[in-house]
């Protein structure tokens, strides 16, 4: 067993590196329908190709291999393969009843990869973050233009849905939880409420990271919040860090990263896409071109955690780790007491 380090202390001393895009790495392997099904789901009634999280059960060697590649590249934190491992998202595949198993299995794969790495590289602590995506529904916006009050999901539905995911991740041994790609703060609050209740019931304490996504140059989330409103909505809750990921490349995120760095009293994380998607939905920024913008974040001490989202590979992470090694971590501001509205 590896010796557990305290991430809250380590983050004061260095910029931590988060891994890159699990989905990108899976897509590069050109897996077929039968790979997703494996022997266990050979006769399953629905198509399963694209259910990346299921691969933690049907192709665990591939997921473990990807974790190892990111660890070798220099990632300090690796994410579990559980971005869509909740009942709302798994309903698309008719696999709602596998949510707990997928989360637990995914967490165990990541933990094992970290333990094997730490045995070979003592003195270099690594962490496993349980990835919790936003689900495929929003609690704040109606999908029906003609009925603004309609909701496909409500707070209590989401809370129950997330609780099941949290149970699996904790039982699988994660070191922290990551509520990521938040486009609706109400969804995130449901996740955080579940986390708090499950941790209390299990008598555990784990750091919780939150990462939102800005949808366009207006600097707002999909549910309409400005970045400062997003920060004010969540900063008072018991979270370890706050940040931004996905939607944009590092260049486009720069003004929002600077604003978050200036206003947040928590560690700040940023893991952008490898640029904006091209006409084929692919990401063109190389490790070298993306690192130009990542270096600016680090040189200006804007971040405490740096990593990559869609389109980023171990080669990108290796370059980020090289830059982070020389960087001075952002100073975590003392919390100012006063009225702040969202």
């Amino acid at each position: 067993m590896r010796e557990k380090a305290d991430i809250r202390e380590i983050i004061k001393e260095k910029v931590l590196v988060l891994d890159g895009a699990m989905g990108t790495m899976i897509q590069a392997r050109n897996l077929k329908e039968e790979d997703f099904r494996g022997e266990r789901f050979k006769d399953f009634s629905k198509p399963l190709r694209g259910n990346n999280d299921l691969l933690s059960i049907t192709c665990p060697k591939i997921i473990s291999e990807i974790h190892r590649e990111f660890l070798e590249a220099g990632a300090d934190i690796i994410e579990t393969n559980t971005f869509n491992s909740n009942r709302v998202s798994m309903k698309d595949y008719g696999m709602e009843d596998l949510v707990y198993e997928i989360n637990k299995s995914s967490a165990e794969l990541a933990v094992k990869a970290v333990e094997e790495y730490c045995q070979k590289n003592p003195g270099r602590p690594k962490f496993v973050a349980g990835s919790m995506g936003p689900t495929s529904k929003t609690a704040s916006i109606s999908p029906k233009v003609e009925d603004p009050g309609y909701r496909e999901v409500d707070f209590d539905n989401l809370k129950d849905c997330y609780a099941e995911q949290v149970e699996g991740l904790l039982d699988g041994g994660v070191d922290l939880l990551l509520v990521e790609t938040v486009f609706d703060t109400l969804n995130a609050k449901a996740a955080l409420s579940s986390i708090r209740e499950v941790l209390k019931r299990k008598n555990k304490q784990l750091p919780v990271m939150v990462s939102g996504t800005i949808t366009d140059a207006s600097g707002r989330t999909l549910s309409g919040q400005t970045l400062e409103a997003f920060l004010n909505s969540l900063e008072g809750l018991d979270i370890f860090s706050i940040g931004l990921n996905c939607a944009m490349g590092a260049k486009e995120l720069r003004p929002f990263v600077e604003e978050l760095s200036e206003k947040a009293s928590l560690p700040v994380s940023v893991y952008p896409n490898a640029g904006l998607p091209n006409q084929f939905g692919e990401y063109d920024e190389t490790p070298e071109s993306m690192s130009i913008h990542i270096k600016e974040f680090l040189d200006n001490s804007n971040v405490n955690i740096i990593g990559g989202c869609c389109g980023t590979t171990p080669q990108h992470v290796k370059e980020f780790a090289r830059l982070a090694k020389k960087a001075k971590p952002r100073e975590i501001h003392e919390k100012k007491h006063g009225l702040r509205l969202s």
Side-chain angles (χ1 to χ4, degrees):
M1 292 290 289
R2 66 194 163 109
E3 186 179 337
K4 295 284 184 84
D6 187 350
I7 196 170
R8 296 179 189 275
E9 293 302 316
I10 292 176
I11 205 164
K12 296 174 185 176
E13 303 164 5
K14 61 179 282 191
V15 176
L16 294 174
V17 179
L18 189 67
D19 62 6
M22 175 63 75
T24 297
M25 298 298 290
I26 289 171
Q27 287 168 16
R29 282 159 168 80
N30 296 312
L31 300 179
K32 306 288 191 294
E33 176 72 21
E34 52 266 32
D35 296 311
F36 285 87
R37 288 177 174 272
E39 191 62 32
R40 178 173 168 184
F41 303 103
K42 186 171 62 175
D43 300 319
F44 197 76
S45 59
K46 288 190 174 185
L48 296 178
R49 188 178 182 189
N51 188 354
N52 290 346
D53 298 10
L54 182 62
L55 294 171
S56 295
I57 293 175
T58 56
C59 285
K61 286 184 179 179
I62 287 177
I63 303 305
S64 295
E65 188 178 90
I66 293 170
H67 286 320
R68 285 194 295 270
E69 287 179 26
F70 280 124
L71 287 166
E72 293 294 342
D76 298 301
I77 307 167
I78 61 168
E79 299 177 56
T80 56
N81 180 38
T82 54
F83 185 81
N84 290 307
S85 297
N86 57 74
R87 278 188 174 263
V88 174
S89 300
M90 281 293 159
K91 189 176 181 181
D92 294 342
Y93 299 97
M95 293 195 138
E96 301 97 312
D97 293 341
L98 287 169
V99 165
Y100 174 84
E101 182 183 351
I102 292 173
N103 279 283
K104 185 171 184 288
S105 298
S106 297
E108 287 171 346
L109 288 176
V111 168
K112 185 178 179 185
V114 163
E115 287 182 343
E116 289 174 351
Y117 179 89
C118 290
Q119 282 176 2
K120 296 176 185 174
N121 302 274
R124 295 170 67 180
K126 304 289 180 179
F127 303 91
V128 175
S131 170
M132 299 172 63
T135 81
S136 54
K137 310 293 181 188
T138 167
S140 293
I141 302 172
S142 170
K144 297 182 178 182
V145 177
E146 72 280 6
D147 186 1
Y150 174 77
R151 297 290 183 271
E152 286 186 294
V153 68
D154 62 27
F155 185 89
D156 289 333
N157 295 148
L158 286 169
K159 190 176 163 189
D160 292 343
C161 158
Y162 277 122
E164 187 177 22
Q165 182 173 30
V166 174
E167 290 271 3
L169 291 170
L170 293 180
D171 290 350
V174 298
D175 302 306
L176 56 153
L177 293 164
L178 170 57
V179 179
E180 62 174 326
T181 321
V182 175
F183 57 72
D184 183 343
T185 305
L186 193 56
N187 286 38
K189 285 187 172 182
L192 293 170
S193 182
S194 284
I195 289 169
R196 182 174 64 244
E197 289 184 7
V198 175
L199 287 174
K200 185 177 181 181
R201 177 158 41 82
K202 287 181 171 286
N203 195 27
K204 287 188 175 183
Q205 289 186 326
L206 252 69
V208 180
M209 298 171 64
V210 176
S211 182
T213 186
I214 298 294
T215 53
D216 56 40
S218 71
R220 291 179 181 268
T221 63
L222 184 66
S223 57
Q225 281 190 313
T226 63
L227 182 57
E228 186 171 10
F230 173 72
L231 174 65
N232 289 350
S233 295
L234 297 169
E235 196 174 25
L237 303 178
D238 186 20
I239 59 177
F240 166 61
S241 69
I242 195 159
L244 296 170
N245 75 289
C246 205
M248 296 180 177
K251 180 181 179 182
E252 292 76 21
L253 275 180
R254 180 179 176 181
F256 308 117
V257 172
E258 290 174 346
E259 181 183 357
L260 195 59
S261 176
E262 179 188 338
K263 293 176 178 175
S265 61
L266 299 165
V268 168
S269 68
V270 181
Y271 50 114
N273 292 345
L276 295 171
N278 60 28
Q279 63 268 36
F280 303 108
E282 297 171 348
Y283 298 88
D284 297 325
E285 283 210 15
T286 64
E288 292 74 26
S289 64
M290 193 173 175
S291 290
I292 293 170
H293 308 294
I294 296 296
K295 187 174 185 297
E296 288 184 358
F297 297 158
L298 296 171
D299 287 349
N300 295 327
S301 297
N302 290 144
V303 297
N304 304 97
I305 302 170
I306 195 77
C309 203
C310 304
T312 56
T313 65
Q315 288 71 40
H316 289 82
V317 170
K318 185 176 182 179
E319 191 64 18
F320 303 164
R322 182 184 68 82
L323 295 171
K325 210 170 191 178
K326 308 171 187 174
K328 180 183 176 184
R330 168 183 168 273
E331 187 176 337
I332 300 166
H333 307 318
E334 187 175 337
K335 191 167 186 177
K336 296 177 182 177
H337 296 279
L339 176 65
R340 290 185 293 161
L341 304 175
S342 64

